[in-house]
């Protein structure tokens, strides 16, 4: 999943070697659940809330391996559970 945008306009960057990649590439706007990625290795590109939430959902839905790719170090603070 690619989680990048500017002012809510999706942006999918060119990635070297993407033309030979046989997997699925989608923007976070197209993502709804990680069920389709069960037991697969997934790379999530981005460092915002969407990327973190998608990465967590992929783990919860049984993805084999989830890697979160960010440009520079980030600090993620979990939101408290309400209710």
């Amino acid at each position: 999943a690619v989680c990048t945008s500017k002012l809510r306009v999706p942006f999918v960057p060119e990635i070297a070697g993407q033309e030979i990649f046989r997997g699925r590439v989608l923007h976070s706007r197209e993502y709804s659940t990680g069920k389709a990625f069960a037991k697969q290795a997934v790379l999530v590109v981005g460092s915002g809330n969407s990327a973190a939430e998608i990465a967590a959902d992929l783990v919860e839905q049984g993805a084999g391996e989830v890697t979160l790719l960010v440009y520079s170090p980030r600090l993620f603070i979990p939101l408290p559970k309400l209710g």
Side-chain angles (χ1 to χ4, degrees), residues 2-67:
V2 178
C3 306
T4 58
S5 67
K6 185 173 184 175
L7 300 175
R8 297 186 182 193
V9 177
F11 171 71
V12 179
E14 293 281 330
I15 299 172
Q18 184 173 340
E19 66 278 356
I20 61 172
F21 178 66
R22 295 179 187 227
R24 185 172 171 198
V25 177
L26 67 143
H27 190 273
S28 59
R29 186 173 266 184
E30 303 169 71
Y31 183 89
S32 60
T33 179
K35 290 180 182 177
F37 300 96
K39 299 183 182 178
Q40 296 182 39
V42 182
L43 173 66
V44 179
V45 180
S47 61
N49 291 339
S50 295
E53 290 174 7
I54 287 172
D57 183 62
L58 287 162
V59 170
E60 291 171 356
Q61 297 299 324
E65 180 178 326
V66 178
T67 302

